[in-house]
Amino acid sequence: MRLVWLWSHCLSTVSSFASLNLAQPLLQAIEQSGYTEPTPIQQKAIPHVLAGADLMAAAQTGTGKTAGFTLPILQQLLEQGPRQRKAGCPQVLILTPTRELAAQILESVRTYGRHTKITSMVMFGGVNINPQITALKKPIDILVATPGRLLDHVSQKTLDLSQVEVFVLDEADRMLDMGFIRDIKKIMRLLPQQRQSLLFSATFVDEIRELARGVLRNPVEVSVSAPNTTAQRVHQTVHLVDQSDKRDVLSHIIRESGWYQVLVFTRTKHGANRLAEKLVKDGLQAAAIHGNKSQAARTRALDDFKSGKISVLVATDIAARGLDIDQLPQVVNFELPNVPEDYVHRIGRTGRAGAAGQALSLVDREELKHLKAIERLIKKSIEQTPAPKGWTPSVASPPDRPAAAAKPRHRSRPNAAVGARKPARQSNVRSLNG
């Protein structure tokens, strides 16, 4: 990686979006969205993208990295002006691991580009391909896609990537975790050699740097946090609880604490369903979201959670990325993840953009090895406190089977989570976190 000092003075003085040399239509859209100041990752990334440099950017989830690439890309397209483009031949490709993230990025593109004539579309699996084929019969400027469905279109010759000028690989670490490395390499071979490439990741493990060497050319590297750090404003706590008691303990904690919005992560889809059913039985408004749920059911559950209709959303790790929930106060790890980096992504749902957050983990003795691995990764010990008393055991039922050893990091393509929209509840003065 080369050392770049050219923008150092400029970056230290950036305090508003106007100082980033963005066009008036973009500034107008930003203002209408209620944002006033760029976040640190936006301050660092946007000037480099506008300068045409390849970029490798590390930022915790919720720091505004999506706008860190969508805004300068929109600016570049505006500066180029109208161009004659072939149908199904995008100028910008944004690749992301899940449907949820793809939909969220498309929303950001359209929100900030609302006063322009820039065209965009999203494609992902799990839905009818025909509307996407129809959309590709028209010229498009920006394509947001998941790897599998994109390759489906390439194989059907409904999509041509030969004119891509800007390529964005978002959530690169999650791409590797979900087994997309072969698909990424296939897609790379379809892109022009001369292009600008941007890689965004929550973490910079060795595998990401190896991937970057194949994607980027002489990139600028920027970061707004130490590698694999958890959000500084998230208070992390562990309760040691037997696996068979976890549902009763968590139900008691939620009811006694009066939590009004809590996101709970489980390892398995079956476990998510059982926990949601238990909470509903105990009088709580709860729903589960995971890959086996229909897209309509996932969308409904997420919208109900954002609006406050339900107070507890139980999710598998497929929903750990991209959930854009404003000021989410509480995250619970019903079970610890097998992959330590997933802990960082999970609790990154709370404590976003300077807000305070709470992360509670219920840990069985069998999970202590996972806890130690997490503490090594984040380089800190997590406070352990006794589980609260006063909870009542349910009628005996078989406990959830503990998850087996960690699956290989490079797995087959899973079903991805549905896209999320920004919640309506927002403060008057805030930073842009899209």
Side-chain angles (χ1 to χ4, degrees):
M1 302 297 173
R2 62 187 173 99
L3 296 176
V4 176
W5 53 268
L6 180 63
W7 292 97
S8 59
H9 176 70
C10 175
L11 295 179
S12 66
T13 61
V14 171
S15 60
S16 69
F17 286 103
S19 63
L20 292 171
N21 297 318
L22 298 176
Q24 186 57 39
L26 302 182
L27 294 176
Q28 183 181 357
I30 292 168
E31 182 179 5
Q32 289 174 341
S33 299
Y35 303 115
T36 57
E37 297 181 359
T39 65
I41 190 62
Q42 292 157 12
Q43 293 177 19
K44 292 185 176 183
I46 290 175
H48 294 306
V49 179
L50 290 177
D54 279 14
L55 182 70
M56 182 175 179
Q60 291 175 308
T61 313
T63 55
K65 56 188 175 69
T66 300
F69 60 81
T70 56
L71 284 172
I73 286 172
L74 289 167
Q75 176 68 26
Q76 289 174 325
L77 293 175
L78 285 175
E79 291 176 355
Q80 292 175 1
R83 301 168 66 177
Q84 287 292 108
R85 302 201 60 80
K86 291 170 51 181
C89 194
Q91 187 173 347
V92 177
L93 172 62
I94 303 173
L95 200 63
T96 189
T98 68
R99 285 181 277 177
E100 179 181 74
L101 276 169
Q104 180 182 319
I105 292 170
L106 180 70
E107 183 182 9
S108 295
V109 169
R110 291 183 172 174
T111 295
Y112 310 135
R114 69 179 73 170
H115 300 299
T116 74
K117 295 183 179 180
I118 294 171
T119 58
S120 58
M121 70 167 287
V122 66
M123 61 172 59
F124 46 70
V127 296
N128 191 332
I129 197 172
N130 291 327
Q132 297 171 3
I133 293 175
T134 301
L136 287 169
K137 293 179 180 179
K138 300 178 182 178
I140 55 170
D141 296 308
I142 300 175
L143 172 63
V144 187
T146 54
R149 180 52 62 93
L150 182 142
L151 289 172
D152 290 341
H153 280 283
V154 170
S155 67
Q156 295 189 35
K157 301 187 184 305
T158 56
L159 177 65
D160 179 1
L161 300 179
S162 65
Q163 301 300 312
V164 169
E165 297 177 8
V166 181
F167 172 57
V168 181
L169 187 61
D170 191 28
E171 300 284 6
D173 50 345
R174 193 61 171 175
M175 287 279 198
L176 296 186
D177 288 345
M178 296 174 69
F180 284 127
I181 185 62
R182 291 183 179 177
D183 285 350
I184 292 173
K185 290 180 177 179
K186 289 180 183 177
I187 293 167
M188 294 297 300
R189 289 193 290 268
L190 299 170
L191 299 177
Q193 289 294 317
Q194 295 299 321
R195 65 176 189 273
Q196 181 182 19
S197 299
L198 315 174
L199 185 150
F200 283 76
S201 179
T203 57
F204 271 180
V205 294
D206 292 342
E207 294 92 334
I208 295 300
R209 294 188 178 278
E210 181 179 352
L211 174 63
R213 283 191 287 271
V215 175
L216 309 174
R217 293 185 177 182
N218 198 24
V220 177
E221 182 175 334
V222 299
S223 177
V224 295
S225 61
N228 299 323
T229 56
T230 50
Q232 295 178 354
R233 295 179 63 87
V234 178
H235 182 255
Q236 302 169 63
T237 307
V238 163
H239 289 335
L240 296 178
V241 181
D242 289 341
Q243 185 71 28
S244 58
D245 294 333
K246 284 186 178 182
R247 282 191 293 273
D248 294 320
V249 170
L250 181 58
S251 177
H252 173 77
I253 291 174
I254 295 174
R255 286 180 284 115
E256 291 299 312
S257 301
W259 291 346
Y260 61 92
Q261 193 178 43
V262 53
L263 178 61
V264 183
F265 285 104
T266 65
R267 284 189 197 162
T268 67
K269 301 167 187 176
H270 175 66
N273 288 336
R274 290 194 64 189
L275 178 56
E277 291 168 0
K278 161 67 177 175
L279 297 177
V280 169
K281 183 179 179 181
D282 288 351
L284 294 166
Q285 299 298 317
I289 181 171
H290 53 68
N292 282 357
K293 296 282 186 178
S294 69
Q295 185 164 348
R298 289 197 295 264
T299 301
R300 183 170 58 252
L302 194 55
D303 288 345
D304 287 349
F305 185 59
K306 290 181 176 182
S307 67
K309 188 174 180 179
I310 63 174
S311 57
V312 186
L313 185 65
V314 185
T316 53
D317 280 312
I318 203 68
R321 297 292 187 92
L323 284 178
D324 189 11
I325 302 167
D326 193 35
Q327 299 181 356
L328 176 66
Q330 189 74 48
V331 167
V332 173
N333 291 299
F334 186 75
E335 292 125 345
L336 292 179
N338 292 325
V339 179
E341 286 84 1
D342 284 345
Y343 176 85
V344 177
H345 306 322
R346 285 182 178 189
I347 74 169
R349 300 302 95 210
T350 186
R352 304 184 74 167
Q358 304 285 331
L360 170 65
S361 299
L362 304 182
V363 180
D364 179 80
R365 291 179 180 86
E366 295 290 326
E367 299 175 282
L368 289 176
K369 59 182 179 295
H370 298 310
L371 177 61
K372 295 301 181 185
I374 290 167
E375 291 177 331
R376 284 195 299 271
L377 177 72
I378 66 177
K379 296 180 172 59
K380 66 178 292 186
S381 296
I382 302 174
E383 177 186 4
Q384 296 186 22
T385 61
K389 299 179 180 179
W391 57 275
T392 303
S394 300
V395 176
S397 60
D400 290 335
R401 185 185 302 273
K407 295 180 180 179
R409 296 181 67 88
H410 304 304
R411 301 186 289 270
S412 60
R413 240 177 6 245
N415 290 329
V418 67
R421 295 178 295 177
K422 287 190 177 181
R425 182 178 58 200
Q426 299 185 6
S427 57
N428 293 327
V429 180
R430 56 201 171 116
S431 295
L432 195 158
N433 299 304

